[in-house]
Every structure is written in structure tokens, then in C-alpha cells.
Amino acid sequence: MQKGDFGGTRGTEGVDPGKFYSSSMAQSAMGVTGSPQNSANLKGKLAALEELIKNLDEELNMHKTAVGQLRSDKEMIESILTLKTQEVKKTLTNELFRVCLLYTSPSPRDSCASRMPSSACKKKKKKK
């Protein structure tokens, strides 16, 4: 793997950046002065970044779990709503059928409108 021209390796591990640049040029290009204090500061920053990455990874995994649970809940709610919708549709269809039967059924006072043959109805009218 090749890095840029900041004194990194060029295809082999362990190549001294001083071979390509002077030591001071490589350090200034990388922003390192070489002091023990600066090295400790960089190690502290690196440790803090690693801790931040670990925390963000844990948080990301927590959110992934929550999203999975929400998707599962959504699917369950959709299936319940589908069943309830089918029940309501069936109930409304039955109610509509019942209302239509009530509307089209003859009145008990109207003997001619009963379900007897039409000739029977004419005989009843003549008798009156």
C-alpha cells in the first residue's frame, strides 16, 4: 500500500522515511516535532479518538437494534390493521345487505306485497 509523499511507506513495510526526505522534512510534513511531550499528546488524542469510535460504534449498534425492533413493530401493526380492515369491511357489507333486505321487504300491513304469487294477491283484492 502506498501513502502520499509524507515519508510513509512505498510498497514495503519498515522503510525509513529519512531515505526519501531528511528527518526534519518528514517530521515537519507530518506535523511532528519529535518531542516526547508532543508524542504523548498525540497518543492521548489517538486514545481519545479510539474511545470516541468505540462509543459511536456502540451507539450505532444500539440504533440498528432499535430500527430492527421498530420495523418488526411496524409489520405487526400493519398485519393487525389489515385484519381489522377486513373485519370492518365484512361487517359493513353484512350490514348493507341487511339494510337492503329491510328496505326491499314488504310491509306486514301490505298483504299484496307479500311473497305470494301475484294471482293470490288479485284474489284478495277482489274479496274485499
Side-chain angles (χ1 to χ4, degrees):
M1 184 164 129
Q2 288 187 338
K3 291 186 179 180
D5 292 329
F6 293 108
T9 61
R10 291 190 172 271
T12 59
E13 293 294 322
V15 174
D16 182 18
K19 274 189 170 180
F20 301 106
Y21 299 100
S22 72
S23 174
S24 63
M25 285 177 61
Q27 288 177 351
S28 66
M30 293 174 64
V32 177
T33 60
S35 70
Q37 183 183 15
N38 217 9
S39 179
N41 188 20
L42 288 175
K43 287 180 182 178
K45 287 181 180 179
L46 181 60
L49 286 173
E50 287 173 345
E51 182 68 22
L52 177 64
I53 289 170
K54 181 182 148 201
N55 290 340
L56 288 173
D57 189 47
E58 289 173 0
E59 188 176 343
L60 179 62
N61 288 333
M62 182 182 68
H63 288 298
K64 284 180 180 179
T65 302
V67 166
Q69 182 63 44
L70 289 171
R71 282 186 179 145
S72 174
D73 291 349
K74 176 187 170 234
E75 290 171 2
M76 183 180 67
I77 290 170
E78 284 177 339
S79 66
I80 290 171
L81 286 175
T82 300
L83 290 174
K84 292 291 183 183
T85 301
Q86 290 171 350
E87 287 177 19
V88 168
K89 186 176 180 179
K90 184 177 178 181
T91 302
L92 288 175
T93 302
N94 290 339
E95 190 64 22
L96 179 63
F97 182 71
R98 187 182 73 77
V99 168
C100 287
L101 281 177
L102 286 174
Y103 182 73
T104 58
S105 294
S107 168
R109 288 177 263 143
D110 187 4
S111 61
C112 287
S114 68
R115 297 182 185 229
M116 297 191 315
S118 59
S119 60
C121 191
K122 290 179 185 173
K123 289 178 185 175
K124 280 190 173 186
K125 284 185 180 180
K126 289 180 183 176
K127 288 181 181 179
K128 289 185 178 181

